[in-house]
Amino acid sequence: QKEVEQDPGPLSVPEGAIVSLNCTYSNSAFQYFMWYRQYSRKGPELLMYTYSSGNKEDGRFTAQVDKSSKYISLFIRDSQPSDSATYLCATRRGNFGNEKLTFGTGTRLTIIP
Amino acid sequence: SAVISQKPSRDICQRGTSLTIQCQVDSQVTMMFWYRQQPGQSLTLIATANQGSEATYESGFVIDKFPISRPNLTFSTLTVSNMSPEDSSIYLCSVEGTRQETQYFGPGTRLLVL
């Protein structure tokens, strides 16, 4: 079983819709959770990061973590064509410099104008 | 966030040859990481490189195949040695952010081995 599971999609939604992207993880030691956005032929770009359970909002983006169910979500409101990208969830156990990130496989999202 | 550049951005190589990928950061960083991203798979950490010490490799990756140099706090190289088609992938350099729980990535090097 992979430590982080993510539906690879592809996911296509009309412009203006609310997008929900999700990951599940198996290791209860994970404490830090990130979402990266990766445009085609580019490196991953850090979008959101959260610590432990709860919600974090940044503009049109909301990251949600439910540690009881080991579930990570990213919501995009008022989706735009520029949001079309692959979204990667990532987790990390601790706040140590050599702690590695564990990634999901990424969900390819297309926003249809 | 740090600005990270990689060279080359892409390359096509012959089986059995080696390619060295360069990673340059615009600020001094302690930790640098090298990842591999294969189609349909998660980003996989190859190794962690600290300046002044030998790189630490993840399970499944060995120094003979992926030698890494870290001569200073702004630069690192990853060599993919004796390449085979299975090495075709995107190779990404990453650095630790100002908040230790974050990492920032370079644009990647797209490698195709024939």
Side-chain angles (χ1 to χ4, degrees):
Chain A
Q1 180 189 8
K2 293 181 181 178
E3 287 192 287
V4 179
E5 298 276 1
Q6 184 174 10
D7 186 339
L11 179 64
S12 296
V13 300
E15 182 176 355
I18 296 175
V19 176
S20 173
L21 303 167
N22 308 293
C23 291
T24 59
Y25 63 95
S26 58
N27 190 340
S28 58
F30 289 136
Q31 297 285 338
Y32 294 86
F33 305 93
M34 296 102 187
W35 284 95
Y36 284 83
R37 177 175 62 194
Q38 186 174 22
Y39 291 114
S40 179
R41 302 188 181 282
K42 301 288 185 182
E45 167 195 13
L46 181 64
L47 197 58
M48 302 275 290
Y49 67 84
T50 56
Y51 169 69
S52 198
S53 285
N55 292 358
K56 183 175 182 178
E57 188 173 319
D58 184 0
R60 297 185 295 109
F61 299 89
T62 299
Q64 188 175 80
V65 176
D66 182 348
K67 291 192 70 181
S68 63
S69 58
K70 298 187 178 67
Y71 202 79
I72 313 164
S73 299
L74 178 70
F75 299 97
I76 307 174
R77 293 184 298 279
D78 187 24
S79 55
Q80 305 293 313
S82 59
D83 295 327
S84 297
T86 296
Y87 289 80
L88 303 151
C89 62
T91 68
R92 188 173 183 177
R93 289 179 302 175
N95 190 23
F96 304 108
N98 61 351
E99 280 279 353
K100 71 174 185 178
L101 293 176
T102 301
F103 283 87
T105 53
T107 300
R108 177 179 284 187
L109 172 67
T110 300
I111 307 299
I112 304 167
Chain B
S1 62
V3 177
I4 306 167
S5 60
Q6 286 185 234
K7 289 182 181 179
S9 59
R10 62 177 62 200
D11 209 341
I12 301 173
C13 300
Q14 295 298 318
R15 179 196 300 260
T17 62
S18 297
L19 176 71
T20 295
I21 302 168
Q22 299 179 6
C23 178
Q24 180 75 53
V25 191
D26 69 342
S27 57
Q28 294 184 340
V29 293
T30 303
M31 310 284 294
M32 294 182 78
F33 308 88
W34 286 98
Y35 286 82
R36 183 171 72 181
Q37 187 177 29
Q38 295 181 310
Q41 297 187 25
S42 311
L43 267 77
T44 303
L45 181 64
I46 297 172
T48 302
N50 285 345
Q51 192 269 335
S53 62
E54 291 207 1
T56 303
Y57 289 82
E58 295 297 304
S59 175
F61 298 96
V62 295
I63 188 172
D64 290 346
K65 176 67 176 178
F66 298 100
I68 289 172
S69 76
R70 183 77 202 276
N72 57 52
L73 291 173
T74 63
F75 187 78
S76 179
T77 66
L78 169 76
T79 299
V80 186
S81 304
N82 188 26
M83 288 184 286
S84 67
E86 291 71 34
D87 295 319
S88 298
S89 184
I90 300 172
Y91 292 85
L92 292 151
C93 170
S94 171
V95 303
E96 188 176 16
T98 51
R99 294 184 65 122
Q100 286 185 310
E101 65 268 24
T102 62
Q103 286 184 19
Y104 299 101
F105 285 83
T109 295
R110 285 150 184 79
L111 171 62
L112 176 63
V113 183
L114 302 177

